[in-house]
Amino acid sequence: MKKASFYDMPTGRIGIAEADGAIANVFFGHTVRPEAYETEETPLIRRAAEQLFEYFEGRRRAFDLPLQPIGTRFERAVWDTLLTIPYGETRTYGQVAMRIGNPKACRAVGRANGRNPISIFIPCHRVIGAGGALTGYAGGVEMKERLLGMEAAKQPTTSGRSQRE
């Protein structure tokens, strides 16, 4: 059975679930939770929450956690590709489809992106529609916009100073 714990983050209430020694789910307060879980804060869940807090504070750009997303081979290929999108950057569904070697799979990439069980850690918020349109996100389009805006604001400028300074 999965263990899960809930945290009040700057973006609202977030749940983090662990299964078999790896992070299995991240879910927002109003989204679907894993089917079966026991509320318990494990050391791994605590570490994941600490990394999320650091991310929201702008002190972390990459996560160092074991992840165990459950999905089809295609979905896992999409999620693996999402992990390569750098902090503060975006890719279109078409670019992700090209990267996995299936350029006509834009809609399937969108479905796989929407089924990502480990939001933020697997950065599905960094995938946008053609022309820069912010499309659906499990946490809501407003959350997606907020995450992308936060990452953009914490990007260094050419002088090496952050745009926020």
Side-chain angles (χ1 to χ4, degrees):
M1 177 178 287
K2 293 179 183 178
K3 310 282 187 191
S5 194
F6 299 84
Y7 301 90
D8 291 321
M9 298 280 175
T11 55
R13 193 151 178 82
I14 291 180
I16 303 170
E18 171 188 346
D20 302 321
I23 299 301
N25 300 88
V26 171
F27 44 97
F28 301 99
H30 64 282
T31 60
V32 177
R33 297 173 180 187
E35 286 183 19
Y37 67 90
E38 178 182 324
T39 302
E40 180 183 329
E41 183 183 57
T42 66
L44 177 59
I45 291 172
R46 187 175 317 111
R47 191 169 119 217
E50 289 168 0
Q51 289 190 20
L52 269 182
F53 279 116
E54 291 169 357
Y55 167 80
F56 286 121
E57 292 171 348
R59 297 185 297 122
R60 177 173 291 276
R61 291 173 180 239
F63 300 103
D64 178 25
L65 299 163
L67 304 176
Q68 184 181 352
I70 304 298
T72 67
R73 181 178 298 164
F74 179 83
E75 288 169 340
R76 289 191 316 268
V78 170
W79 301 334
D80 286 346
T81 300
L82 302 183
L83 290 168
T84 68
I85 303 173
Y87 179 98
E89 294 185 21
T90 59
R91 299 292 183 270
T92 66
Y93 296 99
Q95 289 171 320
V96 173
M98 291 284 287
R99 179 78 188 254
I100 63 170
N102 197 341
K104 295 183 180 185
C106 297
R107 288 179 190 229
V109 165
R111 279 191 301 279
N113 203 53
R115 290 183 180 140
N116 172 17
I118 310 176
S119 294
I120 303 176
F121 293 124
I122 298 176
C124 54
H125 62 278
R126 295 181 187 152
V127 182
I128 59 174
L134 294 185
T135 56
Y137 184 63
V141 175
E142 299 80 19
M143 175 73 74
K144 184 174 191 167
E145 184 174 33
R146 188 171 181 185
L147 292 171
L148 290 173
M150 178 195 75
E151 289 184 10
K154 293 182 180 7
Q155 284 290 90
T157 62
T158 55
S159 68
R161 298 186 61 180
S162 114
Q163 294 176 356
R164 194 169 169 226
E165 296 176 325

